[in-house]
Structure formats: C-alpha cells, structure tokens
Amino acid sequence: MTGRIANPKIEKLIVDRWSPRAFDGSEIPQEDLDTILEAAGWAPSAYNVQPWTFLYARRGDASWDLFLSQLIDFNQSWAKDASALVFVVSDKYMRSDKGNSDNHSHSFDAGAAWALAALQAQALGYHTHGMTGLKFGEAEAALGIPEDYRLEAGFTIGKQGDRASLPDFLQEREVASTRKPLAEIAKAGKFA
C-alpha cells in the first residue's frame, strides 16, 4: 500500500488492513460473518470473562433498516452499501454466582475483540470500518441494550467498492492512512 511503511517483521495482514467507506453493496454469506465474529471471540479478556456481545444485521435482512438508522446521517450515507452492520456491546460487570463487580477493562477487552474481527475480515477478503458516529442514547433503547451494558462502537463489513460512489470530498479520503511513528506512541518509563 502506498504511503504505508512498517517494520518488515510486522504481519502483512495488519499493515494491509484499512477502513474504506466505499462498499460494493454485495451480501455477505452467514458463514463468513459467523467466522469473523467467532474470530473476535478469541480475543483476550480480563479473567477470561469475554465481556463482548456483537449485535448484527446483514444487508437486506429484517434488522438492516433499524441498524442503519442508529448511525448518524453522515455514516448512514456510505454504510448503506456495506454487507453487514455490527454493534459492539460490552458488559460493565464481572458476573458470578457470588455477585457482580465492576469490570474495569470491559471497553478495552471489547476493543481487542473488534480488532480481531477486523483482521479476520481482512483475511477473508472483506474490509471493515469502525465508527463511533452512532446515535448514542437512542441506539441503546432501539437495540434493547440493558443499562448495565455499554454500546462501544459499530463497524461495517463488506467488499470494497468503487470510490466514485462516494461524494467528491470523501473520494479524496478513500486511501489507506499512514500511522504515527513508534516514537510518538511508545515511551520507555513514565508518561512525562
């Protein structure tokens, strides 16, 4: 990919992953979606509580319009051509027969699961695009998410489409982005 330079020891699948907005409008077989979401479930989590739940709709199914309507208008404008919409929900508590306790890492763990979903999708020839442009506050009610769970984010899955299908201002941005250098994201010792 042009503009992307990484240590050659980094797995190519990781470097090649990026988040397009142009999708081709094709359907995703349930088997492929199941594989992507099962891969997400292999993420590490504190005490192995696996606090994530993936709510999804496939293009054209009975939930598609409901899921699409939970995105802000800007995201609806391009996500409508994706093959699947997935919402990542995390459980705020560690639940046991001895009672519930706060799960400090529920969001962190759900993020790890989303990353594995993105990589598995890439391995199967799909692209994903994560987003927090959701109608937070409304979406939880519309999707029946209980108060002790947190709607973290959403993501699309699909086959990459023609960038010409996007508005002009998005066509210019339809490229794989670069990354900050290691020196900007990793520090030995204290933060400051």
Side-chain angles (χ1 to χ4, degrees), residues 54-173:
F54 302 101
L55 306 177
Y56 69 86
R58 289 172 53 218
R59 168 173 221 56
D61 75 13
S63 297
W64 181 258
D65 290 338
L66 171 66
F67 276 56
L68 191 62
S69 71
Q70 303 316 306
L71 306 178
I72 62 170
D73 292 344
F74 171 76
N75 284 341
Q76 285 183 41
S77 72
W78 58 265
K80 66 181 176 22
D81 294 323
S83 303
L85 289 169
V86 182
F87 290 99
V88 182
V89 178
S90 67
D91 188 342
K92 297 177 187 178
Y93 298 101
M94 291 191 185
R95 300 173 190 275
S96 75
D97 53 359
K98 297 176 184 172
N100 300 339
S101 60
D102 289 340
N103 182 352
H104 180 75
S105 66
H106 65 95
S107 292
F108 180 79
D109 296 342
W114 136 250
L116 291 188
L119 293 175
Q120 183 62 53
Q122 184 80 14
L124 294 177
Y126 295 95
H127 283 277
T128 56
H129 191 114
M131 57 196 148
T132 56
L134 312 178
K135 294 178 181 174
F136 289 105
E138 296 175 30
E140 292 88 345
L143 300 172
I145 299 170
E147 287 187 19
D148 50 349
Y149 288 76
R150 182 174 194 264
L151 175 58
E152 298 287 347
F155 66 95
T156 56
I157 304 171
K159 297 283 186 176
Q160 189 174 356
D162 185 348
R163 71 195 298 176
S165 67
L166 298 170
D168 289 343
F169 78 98
L170 282 180
Q171 288 181 33
E172 297 168 8
R173 294 170 48 187

Side-chain angles (χ1 to χ4, degrees), residues 28-46:
I28 184 171
Q30 185 68 49
E31 180 182 3
D32 287 356
L33 182 57
D34 289 346
T35 300
I36 293 165
L37 297 178
E38 182 179 345
W42 283 95
S45 64

